[in-house]
Amino acid sequence: MTNTNATQSSCDEGAPTCMLVTVGCAKNEVDTDRMRALLIGAGYDEVEDPQQADAIIVNTCSFLGIATQESVETVLSLAEVGRANGHAKIIMCGCVPSRYGDEIVEEMPEVDAFVNADDEDKIVTVVSSLLHQDADVVPGENVAWRTVEGASAYVKISDGCDRWCTFCAIPSIRGAYSSRAADDILREVCHLMEGGVREIVLVGQDTGVWGEDLEPAHDLAWLLEEVARVVRPYHGWVRVLYLQPEGMTERLVRVLRDVDEVLPYIDIPVQHCSAHILSSMGRSGSREELLELFARLRKSIPGLVLRTTGLVGFPGETIDEFEELCEFIEEVGFDYTSVFGYSAEEGTVAATLPAQIDDAEIVERTQRLQDVAERLGFAATARYIGKNIDVLIDGVEDNGTGVELIGHAWFQAPDSDGAVHIEEGDAAVGDIVRCTVTDAFCYELVGVIDTPIKGE
């Protein structure tokens, strides 16, 4: 979809320039990385200043209303700044145009082109057309899969979702669940490891059902073993996020326990534990079933780290059901819990349900569950004080009095679970080092390097 009200481009001499901005989750970051690689492969230069950009590409999120608002505001702000030099083209990609279609085209004349999530591999054609460039590229073996700077990289193994949870718009935005071919995933992982990445984080809307729709069918446990084989020569890590309770097969549990490269870290966003609320959400299970699952996982996988998500204030949630959720989170003792207040999303079944809860009450419940989550999480982090842990060095950070190395431990998902600040010792980005933890603050750890233990 392209807005025909765009003004004529007047690129400076030399390679045309583009700026890429991501709003939203790790899966969006993956898509942005892919677009970046395609544009660079076609001869475009990337810039960070919107006033130096010939094209500004914003990859948007529309999972929640607040994310849609942030995406729109980001686009409008960049359009204003980027056009201060008179020629920047604005391209809105991803979930917002996929969700709102022609409606968003009419409402945002500031945008020159709209690219749906499933059309993002055509980004070079779109940008080249707007800038009147001949440059184009067809994805193939000679095109870089991704451009990733840093020690960790997310790798999408699927797109879409078949669950149709009543509060979620993802299936209507991203479509039906579709597993990505194993060969594509493994080729990308190999490219990333060769480029200096040392941690692969597998993501998707529902990673546990990966491979069931392929011919021949595979499963996530098999994929993890294959990714581990690629990562092994580089002494790297493999982490998987966004599992569902039904996906925790005995075979997957064995891989998480027995394959050294696969971290014993499980992220299962349960959302709730009340059988009534789960059913209303279009999900299955009960408090008793979930307690049995997590007890089995902890027994089967020594040292297991657990992350989950709680959604509070769903229509019809009684105060007793909310208290049940708080008690459940406490009883399992999750290491990390993300807490979200329910938001009535346009086009979802839940938005039409009776007994919608007052916004002020949702805010209060959200804070109460957040207090529980932080008490558990801070205690889980503090238990590492005095212990030796493996840390992947991510970069250097200015702490106000100087610079320090910063990384994340094996039990911390990048960008989610805090970090480790290195007070003493030398290492390079991508090194995995053994550290002694000397202090903890909230989800942050402080440590000193004992010795590098892994590296290329």
Side-chain angles (χ1 to χ4, degrees), residues 3 5-7 72 75-80 83 88-92 104-114:
N3 173 22
N5 293 329
T7 57
V72 169
V75 169
L76 294 177
S77 175
L78 287 169
E80 181 178 358
R83 284 184 171 147
K89 297 294 184 182
I90 310 299
I91 301 102
M92 176 184 262
I104 197 71
V105 176
E106 295 175 1
E107 292 184 359
M108 297 193 68
E110 299 87 353
V111 176
D112 298 295
F114 297 84

Side-chain angles (χ1 to χ4, degrees), residues 101-135:
D102 291 340
E103 177 184 344
I104 197 71
V105 176
E106 295 175 1
E107 292 184 359
M108 297 193 68
E110 299 87 353
V111 176
D112 298 295
F114 297 84
V115 180
N116 291 346
D118 55 2
D119 286 331
E120 288 175 341
D121 263 7
K122 301 175 183 177
I123 190 64
V124 174
T125 300
V126 173
V127 174
S128 297
S129 176
L130 288 174
L131 300 183
H132 306 290
Q133 299 288 317
D134 294 329

Side-chain angles (χ1 to χ4, degrees), residues 10-22:
S10 57
C11 295
D12 296 333
E13 293 183 3
T17 58
C18 59
M19 177 183 182
L20 293 101
V21 177
T22 305

Side-chain angles (χ1 to χ4, degrees), residues 237 336 381 384 389-395 397 404-412 417-423 433-439 443-449:
W237 295 344
Y336 305 102
T381 301
Y384 291 102
I389 62 172
D390 294 350
V391 176
L392 176 58
I393 302 300
D394 295 309
E397 187 176 86
E404 65 181 11
L405 291 172
I406 189 166
H408 67 278
W410 69 267
F411 49 82
Q412 296 172 314
D417 301 336
V420 180
H421 303 263
I422 308 297
E423 286 187 322
V433 298
R434 178 64 52 79
C435 289
T436 297
V437 177
T438 59
D439 201 0
Y443 293 108
E444 304 295 298
L445 290 169
V446 179
V448 296
I449 294 177

